[in-house]
Amino acid sequence: MRTLLPRIAALLVLAAVSAGAFWWYSHRPTVEGPLTLYGTVDLRQASLSFNGSERIAEVLAEEGQTVLQGQVLARLSQSRLLPQLAQSKATVTAQQAALDRLKNGSRPEEIAQAQANLEAAKADAANASAHYQRFKSLLPIAAVSKQDVDEARAQADVAVAKVAVQQNALSLAQIGPRAEDIAQAEAQLQASEAAMALLQQQVDDTELKAPFEAVIRSRLMEPGEMATPSSPVFSVARLGTKWVRAYVPEPRLSEVREGLPARITIDSDPARPLDGWIGFISPLAEFTPKTVQTEDLRTSLVYEVRVFVTDPDNRLRLGMPATVRLLPAASRP
């Protein structure tokens, strides 16, 4: 019995030490290293469609092709628009000529012609008046009838009226067109020019152009298909602005802030890290998405962050896995 007591005491001491060690280990202060995030490369994307509805004539870009801003990617048929545009241009030309004619006024030759017509009318009036006076003098001796005198008087009155008409014509030729006529012609020309501009825009819209430098992700329509504004022809990813979409666990959210520098590495080239910085932190928490890559895969509350990347050699591709290691603020490139 005496030999068992020391053994029991030793076992009790060993148990107490073990319990204390376990408590210390489970409650020891932990020092976590720099925050490391795992995510995927993302780019700004856009769906490109035509502004009008027409059958596609040509598709000029292939999937994976890099296109420049303003490059023509596809064309619609122009067979109906081009004749309408030509007719509209002819109308504008005719109305421009009519407006110029009004603004320029009468030519010297037209004024001279109006002057000559006036002189001829005056001569006719003088002749008709003399003829009437002769008939009138012969009426008392019954050499002519009263009807002949009346006819001569009517002819003289008509000749005088023609003089007035030609006088007014000469005045109008000298004065030129009315301001109201010029304003009307200008308004008609502007309306025709607006219609021509609309047709020209419709013709321009038959060409689908790249709005920015991009990579063709998907070619969604082919020649012969009917395009509409609601039917994308291409899906493109914009070059230039790239970021890594990652998620920060809620307990470590205080370690990130906008502008914090970072190093980004990719599995295909881990020896050459890229510089980046945090540009966006979501204000709303969410549950860990199924596709997110984290060191622990348990479901927890996380916040989305976007780490913008400087990629001068264009090594990053859309959807590529990437590792982000945050740096102290002074390390920002």
Side-chain angles (χ1 to χ4, degrees):
M1 186 66 178
R2 292 180 179 179
T3 59
L4 292 177
L5 290 177
R7 295 181 180 180
I8 295 174
L11 290 176
L12 291 176
V13 171
L14 180 61
V17 171
S18 299
F22 176 78
W23 181 91
W24 177 86
Y25 181 82
S26 61
H27 292 79
R28 77 190 190 284
T30 58
V31 179
E32 298 183 88
L35 181 60
T36 300
L37 305 176
Y38 301 88
T40 54
V41 176
D42 205 349
L43 303 175
R44 299 193 188 278
Q45 303 178 58
S47 297
L48 307 182
S49 59
F50 286 101
N51 287 337
S53 298
E54 186 54 81
R55 202 165 298 279
I56 298 177
E58 296 178 284
V59 178
L60 306 174
E62 298 292 341
E63 292 176 342
Q65 179 180 346
T66 299
V67 295
L68 302 177
Q69 182 178 2
Q71 182 175 338
V72 177
L73 306 180
R75 286 191 181 92
L76 297 178
S77 173
Q78 301 177 345
S79 58
R80 291 190 296 178
L81 288 175
L82 291 181
Q84 297 179 39
L85 180 60
Q87 181 183 19
S88 180
K89 289 181 177 179
T91 300
V92 169
T93 301
Q95 291 185 343
Q96 181 65 62
L99 177 60
D100 293 341
R101 184 174 64 250
L102 289 175
K103 287 184 175 181
N104 293 333
S106 302
R107 294 175 295 178
E109 295 81 2
E110 293 174 337
I111 295 177
Q113 182 181 11
Q115 182 68 50
N117 291 337
L118 176 59
E119 296 301 328
K122 287 180 178 180
D124 291 341
N127 185 42
S129 178
H131 186 67
Y132 167 64
Q133 293 298 331
R134 285 195 302 271
F135 272 45
K136 185 177 179 182
S137 62
L138 295 175
L139 182 58
I141 60 175
V144 294
S145 65
K146 187 176 184 305
Q147 182 179 357
D148 292 336
V149 175
D150 292 339
E151 290 179 354
R153 181 179 179 181
Q155 291 176 358
D157 292 340
V158 170
V160 172
K162 288 182 178 180
V163 171
V165 170
Q166 295 301 329
Q167 181 65 60
N168 291 333
L170 176 61
S171 299
L172 290 176
Q174 293 173 335
I175 295 173
R178 299 172 59 181
E180 293 84 351
D181 294 336
I182 295 177
Q184 181 182 6
E186 288 177 340
Q188 292 174 345
L189 176 61
Q190 291 173 359
S192 297
E193 288 177 338
M196 182 184 69
L198 177 60
L199 285 171
Q200 182 63 60
Q201 184 61 52
Q202 291 176 349
V203 171
D204 294 342
D205 287 344
T206 60
E207 291 187 342
L208 181 61
K209 298 180 180 180
F212 40 73
E213 186 179 5
V215 174
I216 303 296
R217 293 195 60 216
S218 301
R219 173 170 160 164
L220 304 175
M221 300 189 74
E222 296 297 329
E225 294 188 79
M226 182 62 70
T228 64
S230 61
S231 301
V233 182
F234 292 101
S235 174
V236 300
R238 182 171 188 170
L239 296 180
T241 304
K242 300 179 181 180
W243 67 87
V244 176
R245 187 188 305 273
Y247 294 85
V248 178
E250 190 274 336
R252 305 195 67 178
L253 183 61
S254 61
E255 300 179 35
V256 298
R257 65 182 184 276
E258 287 85 352
L260 194 67
R263 288 285 188 271
I264 296 91
T265 57
I266 53 178
D267 297 338
S268 60
D269 195 3
R272 291 196 298 165
L274 299 170
D275 295 325
W277 65 95
I278 295 179
F280 168 80
I281 303 174
S282 175
L284 301 177
E286 54 186 293
F287 285 102
T288 306
K290 292 181 180 180
T291 57
V292 73
Q293 302 177 44
T294 58
E295 290 180 309
D296 54 338
L297 299 179
R298 66 180 181 273
T299 301
S300 60
L301 286 178
V302 293
Y303 289 81
E304 177 189 341
V305 297
R306 298 178 188 174
V307 183
F308 290 90
V309 186
T310 302
D311 184 21
D313 299 329
N314 195 28
R315 289 186 286 150
L316 300 183
R317 298 292 184 267
L318 182 65
M320 176 183 288
T323 301
V324 179
R325 291 179 175 86
L326 301 185
L327 303 176
S331 301
R332 177 166 180 175

